[in-house]
Every structure is written in C-alpha cells, then in structure tokens.
Amino acid sequence: MEKKVKALSHLYVTVFLSGFASFIVVPAITDVTMSALCPGTDECSLAIYLSGFQQVIGVGTALMMPLIGNLSDQYGRKSLLTLPMTLSIIPFAVLACSTATNYFYAYYTLRTLTAMISEGSINCLALAYLADNISDTQRASAFGILAGISSGAFVFATLAARFLSAGSTFQVATFVSMLAVVYMRIFLEESIPDRNDSMTQPILKETEGVIQKDGNVDTRKMPVFKTIPSLKDIIRLIKSSPSFSQAAIVAFFQSLAEGGMICSIMYYLKARFHFNKNQFADLMLIAGIISTVSQLFIMPLLVSPIGDGRLLSIGLLVSCLNSIFNSLAWSAWVPYATTALSIVMVFTTPSLRSIISKQVGTTEQGKAQGCISGVTSLANIIAPLIFSPLTALFLSEEAPFHFPGFSILCIAITLMIAFIQSLTIGKTPSNSRDENCSNSMEV
C-alpha cells in the first residue's frame, strides 16, 4: 500500500508540472495571437478561424489516442508518457524566443503537429495509471483527485501568468515542461497491467504473441504494428456494454460543447466586454480555485452516497445553465458570477471516466481511456467547424440578428443533449460482461 501511495504521489507531481506548463500560456495566447495577426484591434476573424483550424487538424489525435492507450497496455504507462511530454516542449520553446508574427506562425505549425500526440494523451495515460493501482470502488474519487491536481496546476499557472509578460510566460512554460519530463523519468515507477489476472477477461481478442516457457503469451515482444487496435476492435470495445456505448455518446456531446467553448468564449468576451489578458487570468483563476476545492474535497465526499452516474448528470445540467447565463450576459460581472457554478460543473469528466473505467478489465484500461479520448478528440475536430464560423458571424456586423452570445447558447443546447443521454447510462438491459467476453473470444 505504501509503495502504491508513493507511486501515485509521483504521478500527481508529474501531472501537476505538465499541467502548469500547459496552463500558464492560456491567458497570454489570445493577446499574443491578436497582436501577431491583427494588432490594435479587439475583433479578429482570422484569429478565430486559425484557432478553429488548429482543433480540426486534431483529427490525428482521434487516431492516435487509441493507439497510445493500447501501446501503454503492452509497454507500460511511463514509457508512453515520455513521448507526448517531450513533444509538448517544442512549441513553447519557439514563442520563448520571440512572439513576433513569424515566430507565432512557427509556433502555430509545431503546436498543431505535436498536439496530435500530446493533446489529451498525458491525461489519458494518467487515468490508466490510476486504474492500474486503484480498486473499482475508489476509482471515481481517485479520478476526481487527479482532476483536482490538474485544476490546482491551473490555479497556480494562472496566478503566475498574472505577473509575467507574454515572452516570460513561454520561457517559464518551456522550463517547467522540461522539468516535468526529467522528474517523471527519474521518480515515476513503470506500471504495466497484469495480463495473467484471472479475475478479468479482455473484451478485445488477443493477438498473436511470443510464447514463453511458462506457456503465457508476451504481447510486448510483438511487432508494434500488431498491437494497433483496428477499427473493428474499437467498435467492439464501444459496444462491449450499453453503459460504455452511452458513456461514449455523452463524452462526444460534452466534448463538442467544450471544444465549442474553447474556440468561442474568449473571443466573445473580448469583443463584447473588451476583456484583456489580466481579466482572462482573473476569470480563470477564480474558476480554477473553485474547481480545485470541489474536486479535491467535495467530490470524494459525494461519490459514495450519490454515485458517479448522478454526479455526471448533475455536472452536465449545471454546465448547460452556465452556458445559458453567459450567452445572455448583460454586464462584464456576469462571467465572473457564473464561475461559482464550477463547484458542480467539474464533476462531469471524472465521473464519466470512472464509469468508462469500470466497464473493462485491468488489461484494457489504456484501450478504453484511449478510445474515449479518441471520441472526445473527434468532437473537438467537429466543434470549431460549427462554432468558429458561428462566433465570427454573430460578432460581426453581418449577423442575421443581434445576439453576440448565440454560439454560446448553441453550446448550452449541446450540453442539454449530453445531459439527457447521461440519464440513460446503466438503465438499458444488457447481457453480462462474461457473455460479451465469451463472444469476443470466439471471434
């Protein structure tokens, strides 16, 4: 037990450092983008479209997440963590040198390419690492604590960004990213799921491997291309239980709304209320503090009496209300007031990931988390195709009617769909997991 606690503490530090490096640039990136592309203006359609295009190129992420998750089941979580954490350093280093227009385009290109592997994979592998070391009954609380660590990184990063110039922000991000990789490689112990665990059977078929002297199959000695899950494998995994399928649908719509908010809210607030870097930092700092307290202290207390399914539905409903209030914001204080809803909104992702984790065996945690990360990445690809043009249109003079927050209201509708779907999780009659496993083994 002491060994596991120590291993998890190193995982939490790794996630904190990595998250700090990613989050510290968020308050500055909007101003850097605007000054590089449209200096001296508060509205820039090019910046909105480029932000959306960067998310669309993330189609590579949707393809890479199942692969990375599957390889981590074979070769270990630490080994696979090294790649995305290392790649994430490169774009930060470019803007650490200069925030001029040419450097911004270089950053934009490298960030788009490296995000195909690094975006979301660190969180995916950290969740799989936790699932290796935490029992089913404690998993929702553990996932909530991990989310709280990420929120804590967000708070400290946003607070630090408040006192740094744009150039210094990216220099700090580069240094902390490098520190995270070094710390992880030195202190974090490898975690490879026990493939001989007789308590669980894999849903996906075992591929041909190397037969050892004891008669077991060592898939880690197979060529890498033979460990890549096919589309048929991924579909089988999603269909392995009605709860998994329903959770995947919820993940899609929730991520569609989240992706839409990412490519809309900052430009909406900047155009509507002339928010600057410091105001963005203050807004995110307040939300981050509330989220951290909720995930570290409140959510673990509510999981047992309420359950992760109900927490998921509650979080989605409140997220929907938050989007409605922001779309109707009549004053600059409204976005600040709605951050109080973060205390409940943050239940969504840990609860969803916990539900998904419980649907598969110990040897498929990487596949399952990678599969859902692929679904969320697909949603993030589609989101800017819908919400970036919508935001740009309703913030321009060509809008069909005056409603600057119309795209945010559409995000609220998307969240309502996710909420309604979340109510069906676990309500559909299903065959037992053993029957699914048996059918899978017969393929």
Side-chain angles (χ1 to χ4, degrees):
M1 178 61 70
E2 183 179 349
K3 184 178 181 181
K4 285 187 176 182
V5 170
K6 185 177 181 181
L8 294 182
S9 67
H10 291 314
L11 175 68
Y12 291 145
V13 173
T14 299
V15 170
F16 179 87
L17 292 174
S18 177
F20 182 93
S22 298
F23 293 135
I24 195 173
V25 304
V26 173
I29 194 62
T30 301
D31 282 353
V32 169
T33 303
M34 296 285 285
S35 63
L37 301 179
C38 306
T41 65
D42 284 334
E43 192 276 325
C44 182
S45 296
L46 177 59
I48 297 174
Y49 282 116
L50 280 181
S51 177
F53 179 75
Q54 189 175 57
Q55 288 179 256
V56 172
I57 293 298
V59 64
T61 304
L63 299 175
M64 291 300 297
M65 286 300 99
L67 171 59
I68 291 174
N70 187 52
L71 290 176
S72 75
D73 288 335
Q74 310 294 334
Y75 298 96
R77 317 302 183 196
K78 178 179 177 178
S79 300
L80 269 295
L81 268 172
T82 304
L83 180 60
M85 291 182 65
T86 302
L87 288 177
S88 66
I89 299 172
I90 302 173
F92 296 148
V94 173
L95 284 186
C97 297
S98 174
T99 57
T101 302
N102 291 339
Y103 281 86
F104 172 80
Y105 279 116
Y107 159 83
Y108 179 85
T109 302
L110 292 170
R111 178 74 179 86
T112 301
L113 294 175
T114 58
M116 294 182 186
I117 296 177
S118 61
E119 191 75 30
S121 59
I122 297 174
N123 183 62
C124 168
L125 294 172
L127 290 169
Y129 194 105
L130 276 180
D132 293 341
N133 295 277
I134 297 293
S135 65
D136 287 358
T137 57
Q138 298 177 318
R139 207 163 284 171
S141 296
F143 286 1
I145 292 172
L146 181 67
I149 296 295
S150 296
S151 296
F154 179 85
V155 169
F156 283 98
T158 305
L159 186 61
R162 189 72 171 77
F163 303 100
L164 295 172
S165 64
S168 300
T169 297
F170 286 94
Q171 291 171 2
V172 172
T174 303
F175 172 76
V176 176
S177 294
M178 296 172 65
L179 179 62
V181 174
V182 173
Y183 183 93
M184 184 269 295
R185 293 302 305 174
I186 294 175
F187 295 105
L188 187 66
E189 296 182 5
E190 185 59 275
S191 178
I192 302 177
D194 183 7
R195 307 194 70 81
N196 297 318
D197 187 355
S198 60
M199 297 299 293
T200 58
Q201 292 291 335
I203 293 172
L204 301 186
K205 63 183 182 295
E206 290 290 352
T207 49
E208 181 182 359
V210 178
I211 305 298
Q212 297 178 331
K213 293 181 179 180
D214 58 5
N216 293 321
V217 178
D218 187 0
T219 55
R220 281 171 283 169
K221 295 183 180 179
M222 293 189 301
V224 172
F225 72 90
K226 288 188 177 182
T227 69
I228 299 175
S230 66
L231 180 60
K232 184 178 179 181
D233 288 333
I234 295 172
I235 294 174
R236 184 185 296 117
L237 182 60
I238 292 177
K239 295 172 63 177
S240 61
S241 74
S243 292
F244 198 110
S245 303
Q246 292 156 355
I249 295 172
V250 172
F252 176 83
F253 282 102
Q254 190 268 338
S255 297
L256 185 66
E258 186 178 83
M261 191 67 76
I262 289 173
C263 64
S264 301
I265 189 65
M266 285 191 174
Y267 296 103
Y268 164 67
L269 293 178
K270 192 171 185 67
R272 184 82 189 276
F273 302 116
H274 308 289
F275 272 34
N276 56 33
K277 170 180 173 289
N278 290 338
Q279 287 173 304
F280 284 132
D282 292 340
L283 188 65
M284 291 186 290
L285 182 61
I286 295 170
I289 293 173
I290 295 172
S291 300
T292 302
V293 172
S294 179
Q295 289 167 328
L296 289 179
F297 302 107
I298 298 177
M299 184 176 175
L301 296 176
L302 297 178
V303 168
S304 295
I306 296 180
D308 45 19
R310 290 181 180 176
L311 285 179
L312 170 63
S313 297
I314 293 171
L316 288 169
L317 179 60
V318 174
S319 296
C320 176
L321 295 175
N322 173 71
S323 296
I324 292 174
F325 290 143
N326 277 303
S327 70
L328 301 174
W330 55 92
S331 177
W333 64 262
V334 175
Y336 290 97
T338 57
T339 58
L341 299 177
S342 298
I343 197 169
V344 178
M345 291 164 55
V346 294
F347 295 162
T348 303
T349 300
S351 298
L352 181 61
R353 292 288 185 162
S354 174
I355 292 170
I356 290 163
S357 177
K358 293 174 182 177
Q359 305 305 312
V360 298
T362 56
T363 61
E364 293 176 326
Q365 290 298 325
K367 293 185 185 75
Q369 298 297 341
C371 179
I372 295 301
S373 293
V375 170
T376 60
S377 296
L378 178 63
N380 286 330
I381 293 167
I382 298 173
L385 297 177
I386 300 172
F387 295 106
S388 289
L390 204 59
T391 301
L393 175 62
F394 279 88
L395 292 180
S396 69
E397 296 179 355
E398 288 77 27
F401 52 89
H402 182 70
F403 191 173
F406 183 75
S407 62
I408 311 299
L409 182 62
C410 292
I411 290 171
I413 295 172
T414 305
L415 286 166
M416 180 55 65
I417 296 173
F419 165 71
I420 294 172
Q421 180 62 35
S422 72
L423 298 176
T424 68
I425 295 179
K427 303 293 178 63
T428 305
S430 62
N431 296 327
S432 66
R433 175 172 162 72
D434 290 339
E435 182 178 345
N436 284 328
C437 295
S438 175
N439 293 336
S440 176
M441 297 299 287
E442 290 174 1
V443 175

